[in-house]
Amino acid sequence: MCRHSVPRVSDQVRPPHTNQGKCSANLHITLPLFVRRECPSSTHASINRMKDAACGYAEPSPPNPPFPPPRPPSPPPPPLASAGTLRVADAETASDPDCLPVSYTACLEATQRMHTSNSRISPNIAVSQAACEGTEAETSSCFIGCALGNELGVPALFTFQRAIVASEFAWFMSYRCIDNNEHPQCLCATPLPPPPPVYDPVDALAKDYVYAGNPVSGTISYQPSGFYKAVAIDSKLPGEFVASTHVVDCRGSDSGASSCTRMCATDFLGRLKAFHITATPLPPSPPPPGIPPLPPRPPPSPNPPLSEFRFSGATEGCRANGYRRDECRDGGVGSIWPPLCDYGSSVGLCGHREDVGRGAVIGDDSCTTANNGQCEDGAEGTSYFATDSLGQQVAVCRYATEYAETVSRTVTPPTHIT
């Protein structure tokens, strides 16, 4: 309940003061005059009942109980949710907010979900505390957080720093997804919304009169306004006193008192005495979205890249995905046909591969029997096979090592991994 004061309201007529809890002897004479001047006739009966109850012969009512103690401070916000938002490194712009780190559990969950949708992505996750030092020969990822999505079998990378060394390398580390050098995507934490403001009734009643202000600027039309002050909590005017009702939208720490003061002043001008506010809470905000489902894989193109990310040509992704043989079978020059690994994913057996692109024509004449008039590399079009000690046919030359005698040899994806 608020007692309201409007500019230009007369202070000449006031209800008499009481002394030491007793009613004034002139109250029976003066109060009806004050009522007739200041209040609508429909409220006179209610005021007389209030006057009779207050000025009877009964003992005075006990004083109001003291205000409740102030509420304890709000608890700290809960930790970040385990879910997050996927961000594509190459699509990150300078205006995007920093990619805040997620928990290890959230990173592992997202990695395994990616593997379920695309078996070429490793389900494993590596943990690193390596820090960038700003040198030209930097090899570590400078991104702090969860990087994932490489199709060459490279495990997802969860990078974090202990507090004892974080300040020392903070200048060289980054929360930008583009600064990771192994994966096409990052999992970014979704910040929680700020906690709602805490309403303190003791503080509200201690405040002095507040001017309600003028909501519209640049207009010459009149805008009634006034001053308001809170005088009671959890109370409202009797129904006989209510002459109009308005609905306002109050958010955050706004109690709606300024809007109600201006609206009621527009309705009643100098006749406005008080108003009360009844709050109706808004429905809670929807929870933040989780990790969106992975989009469907695009259809194959004539010459797609080997991965969504930068080609490395020197990984062990094939062995990480289960390849256990000791033969180079990545579909490059000098490998054994048919290919069982991605091109460039078996550096220990095949050496470093150049980025030529899938479907590119490759080959040389490094086989010892090259230029003998026969195709002998074991792939399509081979005209001669040798026989090993077990009676099985084997290729005389490695794949694409008879460039002059074979049909065009190209970088070919693997058939399966055993």
Side-chain angles (χ1 to χ4, degrees):
M1 180 187 297
C2 295
R3 182 171 60 194
H4 180 76
S5 174
V6 178
R8 298 185 298 176
V9 174
S10 173
D11 290 330
Q12 300 300 319
V13 181
R14 298 180 180 274
H17 297 282
T18 60
N19 184 22
Q20 299 180 354
K22 298 180 181 179
C23 291
S24 171
N26 297 326
L27 183 61
H28 294 276
I29 299 175
T30 309
L31 185 58
L33 178 60
F34 175 80
V35 169
R36 287 194 297 271
R37 289 184 177 181
E38 300 293 337
C39 299
S41 59
S42 60
T43 63
H44 291 181
S46 297
I47 294 179
N48 283 330
R49 289 196 298 270
M50 295 166 57
K51 181 258 298 179
D52 293 339
C55 299
Y57 294 100
E59 293 293 329
S61 302
N64 292 330
F67 291 120
R71 296 183 180 181
S74 301
L80 290 176
S82 61
T85 304
L86 286 175
R87 179 181 296 182
V88 178
D90 289 340
E92 188 177 53
T93 64
S95 61
D96 291 333
D98 284 344
C99 184
L100 300 179
V102 297
S103 65
Y104 173 84
T105 302
C107 187
L108 179 61
E109 177 187 353
T111 300
Q112 293 176 343
R113 288 183 60 182
M114 281 190 168
H115 173 72
T116 302
S117 300
N118 184 356
S119 61
R120 296 171 63 84
I121 298 176
S122 172
N124 303 317
I125 181 172
V127 179
S128 173
Q129 298 185 61
C132 289
E133 300 179 359
T135 62
E136 296 183 357
E138 200 75 68
T139 59
S140 301
S141 173
C142 298
F143 170 70
I144 299 178
C146 176
L148 67 172
N150 194 314
E151 287 191 349
L152 293 178
V154 179
L157 182 62
F158 181 77
T159 304
F160 74 100
Q161 285 189 307
R162 293 174 298 168
I164 192 173
V165 298
S167 59
E168 180 179 356
F169 300 101
W171 183 259
F172 308 108
M173 300 303 290
S174 169
Y175 293 102
R176 310 301 295 177
C177 183
I178 193 63
D179 289 334
N180 94 84
N181 56 12
E182 295 184 4
H183 293 275
Q185 299 180 71
C186 302
L187 184 63
C188 308
T190 303
L192 290 178
V198 178
Y199 179 69
D200 187 353
V202 177
D203 180 66
L205 295 177
K207 292 181 178 179
D208 201 355
Y209 280 97
V210 179
Y211 181 54
N214 296 321
V216 181
S217 60
T219 178
I220 60 175
S221 61
Y222 76 98
Q223 299 181 61
S225 186
F227 295 83
Y228 66 89
K229 181 184 188 312
V231 297
I233 304 294
D234 295 332
S235 299
K236 62 180 181 179
L237 296 167
E240 298 92 333
F241 282 66
V242 178
S244 66
T245 302
H246 296 277
V247 178
V248 297
D249 187 10
C250 309
R251 297 183 179 274
S253 59
D254 180 16
S255 66
S258 296
S259 300
C260 289
T261 299
R262 295 191 298 267
M263 292 179 179
C264 294
T266 302
D267 293 343
F268 302 106
L269 296 177
R271 294 182 292 113
L272 176 62
K273 300 303 174 187
F275 61 85
H276 68 260
I277 299 173
T278 302
T280 301
L282 296 174
S285 302
I291 301 176
L294 294 174
R297 299 186 64 184
S301 58
N303 189 21
L306 289 179
S307 170
E308 294 179 3
F309 200 55
R310 297 183 283 270
F311 177 79
S312 172
T315 73
E316 288 292 353
C318 189
R319 188 168 297 278
N321 284 335
Y323 182 72
R324 293 294 179 266
R325 301 186 183 184
D326 293 328
E327 303 169 334
C328 172
R329 306 193 69 154
D330 70 346
V333 176
S335 62
I336 296 177
W337 185 266
L340 301 180
C341 302
D342 278 312
Y343 179 73
S345 67
S346 187
V347 64
L349 298 174
C350 305
H352 185 274
R353 298 296 195 187
E354 296 182 1
D355 184 8
V356 296
R358 182 172 296 163
V361 176
I362 57 175
D364 59 24
D365 288 320
S366 59
C367 182
T368 56
T369 61
N371 301 310
N372 65 354
Q374 293 180 319
C375 176
E376 302 170 303
D377 68 350
E380 181 182 359
T382 298
S383 58
Y384 175 77
F385 287 92
T387 304
D388 63 9
S389 59
L390 300 179
Q392 297 179 344
Q393 288 187 333
V394 294
V396 176
C397 301
R398 296 295 182 97
Y399 178 67
T401 58
E402 292 184 303
Y403 186 78
E405 297 172 327
T406 59
V407 297
S408 296
R409 299 304 190 206
T410 60
V411 176
T412 307
T415 56
H416 63 281
I417 296 179
T418 57

